[in-house]
Amino acid sequence: MVQPGSHQVLLSWWRTHAIAQVEHQAVNERVHDDAGWSPRYLFNTAMSAGIAILGLLLSSPAVVIGAMLISPLMGPIIGLGFALATADAHQIKRATIALIGGSIFAVLFCALLVLMSPLQNVTTEIAARTRPNLFDLIVALFSALAGSYATIRGRAGTIVGVAIATALMPPLAVIGFGLATWNGTVFFGSLLLFVTNFVTIALTAAVMARIYGFGPTLSPHQTVFQSIAIIGTLALLAVPLGLSLRRIAFENFANIYARQAVKEVFGGQSRISQLDLDFHSVPLKLSATVLTPNYRANANRDIERAFAKAAGQGAAVSIEQYRVGTGPGAAEAAAIQAAASQTSVGSIDAEIADLVERLALVAGVDEGQILVDRDNRRARVTATTLPGAQLAAYHMLELRVARIEPGWTITLVPPAAPLPTVTWGDGDASDAAAPDQAGRAALGEAIWAAKRLGLAIDVRGPAARTTPIIDALTKAGVSATRVGGGAAVTMRWAVPDPDTPPVAASPVAATPSTTAAATTPATVAGG
């Protein structure tokens, strides 16, 4: 039990044995020197960012760690934390300019390297930094504690700087990747991670500085304002992180409830060979393989009720049952038989889910805009409208998406953007020469987009030049009609006749069969 006045004893001990041993002036000078903008800071930022983005593109953790060894970001962010602790407005401005300026420079430098690189795929290292969660916050917190303590106790160095850079430089590099590839999912996901880490490190450094006696001249009013600001900011961070933690806790308990529900229905003699929960599905999808001596006719319904009662949430249940004997080794033999006869629906679903996630990241679309035919290994991605983007940009995006899944046929459906103009070489309007190189490219883009959208094309221009264009479109399977003359050959999407049914694009997904694994939000068809 803490005796009255014991907290004053602890405070007195802390002041005499911890705070008194810190050389506050020397620490302030060192923090001030490291927190500003300088040519060395700019150079090291560029080198660290360059190594980091190359490591991310190569999906090499070792190269990413190498980038952290030369990252100079510890100086400005620790300086910002100490400036917040001492309410030094000039130092806050100086450190903020250095940190934001260096961050923007790193993002633009990484974006430039990505544009120059032939590798522009979303690797696992990049994808891992697009969905911040509670563990990322803990990494930032520990990094700030290590960096602040080392700075205060005079032990700052490269190794401690690596801890700070781990939480800041890789997200900056991923932001640059998202900017260069025009991928909003990657860009905003990594931006959220960077902001979370940045705020956490700065506030933790400020708290550590106050604990070690920095800012003793602050008035009670300033201290109260500072405390309210820090607590308010942490509270704002706590809302999404609390929701994330609640989600993680639910997933852990849901797995427990699912196993309990299966055991409750099948009894003690059964054995669960495989159990999967798809938390992205609405409703939640529960699939399992059970080895049991007695077949349960209503197992799906009974397990659904038991799970809903325990978890407070319904689920779509799919149970595969394998009858086994009760003798020694019977369950093990059945498990081997189940594995041999079934690649595992769960593993197939996991493969499809990973495919959908990768396609959504690279294409910058929601997972609900992806249609997958797993039997024929085909996928259809409906692209979102990009401001100012022409059809060639969507065609390039399809080629990029297709490269990440060489075993799949990937089709990207663009929006009905304006068709390009077919250009010709020298000659007057009656000249029937073929289109020039740019004109052939424009015709190819029109054919590609028309086949993806299933739309007809109206061609306008002189007859001598529109005839070969219409012939080329028709030969490629595109409905084309000449609608008028003019000096230039132009194409536009045909306006459908109200009395004529619209032409539908060729479907990519096969009709789902009774064993189709329909995963939400992406639609999956197959047998």
Side-chain angles (χ1 to χ4, degrees), residues 119-153:
L119 301 177
Q120 295 184 358
N121 299 333
V122 177
T123 63
T124 54
E125 287 290 320
I126 293 175
R129 293 171 173 86
T130 59
R131 294 183 175 180
N133 55 50
L134 183 62
F135 295 108
D136 295 307
L137 177 68
I138 295 175
V139 169
L141 176 63
F142 288 167
S143 300
L145 291 173
S148 303
Y149 179 80
T151 300
I152 293 170
R153 304 300 294 181

Side-chain angles (χ1 to χ4, degrees), residues 421-432:
T421 300
V422 179
T423 57
W424 295 68
D426 296 334
D428 57 25
S430 62
D431 187 3

Side-chain angles (χ1 to χ4, degrees), residues 392 420-425 434-446 469 489 491:
T421 300
V422 179
T423 57
W424 295 68
D436 58 17
Q437 183 176 359
R440 292 193 298 271
L443 181 59
E445 297 298 343
I469 296 299
V489 178
M491 298 179 292

Side-chain angles (χ1 to χ4, degrees), residues 21-23 27 30 147-157:
Q21 297 179 7
V22 176
E23 299 179 0
V27 173
R30 184 166 60 250
S148 303
Y149 179 80
T151 300
I152 293 170
R153 304 300 294 181
R155 296 177 176 86

